[in-house]
Amino acid sequence: MRFEFVVRSGKEVGRTVALSTGQTITLGRLKGCDVVLDDEAASRRHCTITAREDVCVLTDLQSANGTFLNESRIATNELAKADKIRIGSTVIEMLATDVAEIPGFHSTTSLSLVEARSHTLVQRAVDPTKLEFLSQVYKRKGENELLISAQRYLTTLHKVSEILSRASSVEALFDSILSAILEVSGGDRAAILMRPAGATGNEVDMVAVRTRDEGKSPGQVMLSRTVVNDVIEKGMSAFTDDALADERYVGGESIVRQKIRSVMCAPMRTTETILGVLYVDSQQAKEFSEAELELLAAVGNQAGIAMHRAKLMAEVERLFLDVMKAIASIIDAKDGYTHKHSERVAAFGVRLAQQLGFDADGRAVVELSGLLHDVGKIGVPDAILNKPGKLTDAEFAEMRMHPLHGARILSNIQSQKVVNLLPGVKYHHERWDGKGYPEGLKGEEIPLLGRLLGVADFLDALTSDRSYRKGLKLEEALAMVVDLEGKAFDPVVVKAAVELHSRGQLALPTTPNPKTKSDLAIPAEIAEAIKAIKPAG
């Protein structure tokens, strides 16, 4: 069998290459290749074509941007009449002609390098639940190849799902989505555009952008308004393999200056609405394919659901925090001399926690525990809470029960967040020397959250005005804390407070303290709730 190859474009246009059975030719940018491709997307040695008894076999040489047969990326595949091979923007068409009249030959197959194709814009509605591109793979490759491609597709989506499920906040989710986009597309730059809250039109705001090279500035992202409208209104996914030639993407000189080669975008959606647009571009030689567009659309589905879930969780978190603050307000409302005491303890606690190296989640636990550390005072009679003079032994014994009351009340809430904050509520009156209450724990037997809030509670108690004394200056209160280091307080926490004060970061904004309970404006519903609460026992 004899095969002929005629170069129709590129530096070797017009050159004819003959290939007989058993021979192989190499295509690539390297000058030593049999067919030199003047194409930035081509690797130095991109692929080979081997002539066998009655067929040619195309083999990719692990090229950077892939070898495509009829728009499906291949590793190795037999060629048939009218097949089209694509390397970058160069298309090679296989044409078969009957040359039976030539002695010794049954047929001749020729490959022609056609002029680099013009840009292609593909826009279509993608159903990410259907592996549509795999059906095309099946037609060309057969069952084994189909299973391999399906495995890669599903493995990628599983990996993306894991990436998105690990995000603990909306900001972290943005970063996870961008990682997923770059993972599935192989692009150089990715962005997320979100519809503003309450938006009725197609306006979008860019909320996050990232490059594959994290040290590289992403620059300005120019996205077609036409394409955005189609994504938002129709749920269309789109890609172009030549952004330079596509008028939809030419927004001044930006495309040329940034060397954007190929662009894809897909809707980020829930089952009910489209939240925004996922964008990815290639600034080098890589071109995107419809298979990658389907993957991006699938990521858009997963990202949309994850974003919707994150927003719902954020709303629940805000509701939870608001409820906690409302409870703290009820506590402070019962004790007219400790207006906003819980909020200040929480603020002191967060500053100490940051100095001690707590992460964001740990600081959030400190804040909530500080807000609720005195919740047990709900079970203490008002006459004891607001007594202007010294408490009797019996009254003080009742007051000492409030940490246990608080832990008991909050333990009825089935939430891990509440479970995490209980040590601060229960143990903030324990002492380092073991002379505290309610359990008389000593040293590191006391949970760190309790030790930390013990210092914060003491600082605010000393610096707040009472009916029987004026609040101390912060310096004076801190000096007393230092005197009690190793006795009442953990030396590590005391050291953190001193270091913060030395940098001027311990002081809180001053808030006037009401002198009497009547100075407090208590909402009627809160007042009714207070009346309904009965002291324990």
Side-chain angles (χ1 to χ4, degrees), residues 375-391:
V375 68
K377 287 184 178 179
I378 289 176
V380 178
D382 289 356
I384 295 177
L385 281 178
N386 295 308
K387 184 176 181 179
K390 185 178 180 181
L391 298 178

Side-chain angles (χ1 to χ4, degrees), residues 278-431:
L278 302 184
Y279 168 94
V280 60
D281 63 34
S282 171
Q283 296 173 291
Q284 302 298 323
K286 177 179 173 60
E287 294 178 4
F288 298 125
S289 67
E290 288 194 60
E292 288 162 333
L293 184 66
E294 288 194 17
L295 277 172
L296 184 65
V299 172
N301 254 31
Q302 291 187 329
I305 293 171
M307 182 63 67
H308 184 60
R309 183 177 66 244
K311 286 186 173 182
L312 290 177
M313 291 179 64
E315 290 176 5
V316 171
E317 293 284 344
R318 284 193 295 271
L319 176 61
F320 178 80
L321 186 59
D322 288 345
V323 170
M324 297 300 103
K325 288 181 176 179
I327 293 174
S329 296
I330 293 174
I331 300 162
D332 289 343
K334 278 177 65 67
D335 187 348
Y337 300 110
T338 58
H339 183 56
K340 290 190 177 294
H341 166 69
S342 298
E343 290 185 20
R344 293 193 300 272
V345 170
F348 272 127
V350 168
R351 295 187 182 192
L352 289 170
Q354 190 162 11
Q355 177 65 26
L356 291 169
F358 283 44
D359 61 15
D361 291 339
R363 294 195 297 273
V365 171
V366 171
E367 181 180 19
L368 283 176
S369 193
L371 285 171
L372 297 175
H373 76 287
D374 276 345
V375 68
K377 287 184 178 179
I378 289 176
V380 178
D382 289 356
I384 295 177
L385 281 178
N386 295 308
K387 184 176 181 179
K390 185 178 180 181
L391 298 178
T392 65
D393 289 345
E395 289 170 338
F396 188 62
E398 180 66 35
M399 179 68 81
R400 286 164 61 111
M401 293 296 292
H402 81 268
L404 292 177
H405 292 332
R408 189 188 70 251
I409 291 168
L410 293 177
S411 65
N412 292 314
I413 302 176
Q414 301 299 315
S415 165
Q416 187 59 46
K417 287 184 177 295
V418 173
V419 172
N420 292 340
L421 61 83
L422 287 178
V425 173
K426 189 174 183 179
Y427 299 116
H428 65 279
H429 281 300
E430 297 288 359
R431 288 173 51 109

